[in-house]
Amino acid sequence: TRGGKGHTLPRSRRTVEKCTGTVAAWKGKYGFVTPDCVGMSDLFVGMSDVVDAAGLEVGMLVEFHIYATDRGLSAEEVVQIPDWVVAAKGRFANKGGFKDSAAKGKGSGK
């Protein structure tokens, strides 16, 4: 059956580390996140999967885990990426001063 019961369906986490993305739509209690992963479509996110926030806003940068139900893929443990982290990434991008935890070669010391 359809209609508001997706948060009670059995879940299977698909990510080990959190992904990042941008809030594409927010309707008050649910919305969609566009993952930074190439080739992925928008993921559903419900208010019960938003951590430490009164909700999300369109354009907000977030990190999250991806999970699957029989309805498809969704986002959980959604957290806003703090503005200072976003600013640091922009300021130090391509200058070797900021280590992105999702970057290839993580932990290689280079």
Side-chain angles (χ1 to χ4, degrees):
T1 54
R2 298 263 261 181
K5 302 290 183 192
H7 64 285
T8 63
L9 294 173
R11 296 179 175 196
S12 173
R13 183 167 283 180
R14 300 297 185 183
T15 53
V16 174
E17 294 187 23
K18 284 194 165 185
C19 302
T20 59
T22 305
V23 177
W26 187 250
K27 307 292 183 184
K29 292 188 178 187
Y30 71 94
F32 296 89
V33 175
T34 303
D36 291 335
C37 310
V38 176
M40 287 200 70
S41 56
D42 289 356
L43 301 171
F44 176 84
V45 57
M47 187 64 186
S48 62
D49 289 307
V50 178
V51 179
D52 294 331
L56 301 174
E57 296 177 11
V58 173
M60 188 179 281
L61 298 177
V62 292
E63 63 179 10
F64 50 89
H65 281 288
I66 298 173
Y67 71 93
T69 68
D70 61 358
R71 290 190 184 175
L73 298 177
S74 297
E76 66 180 348
E77 296 182 18
V78 180
V79 179
Q80 179 182 5
I81 298 174
D83 292 339
W84 68 268
V85 173
V86 175
K89 281 188 175 185
R91 190 167 139 205
F92 295 106
N94 300 321
K95 295 181 183 172
F98 185 84
K99 300 279 186 214
D100 187 343
S101 64
K104 289 184 179 178
K106 177 176 94 172
S108 66
K110 294 184 180 181

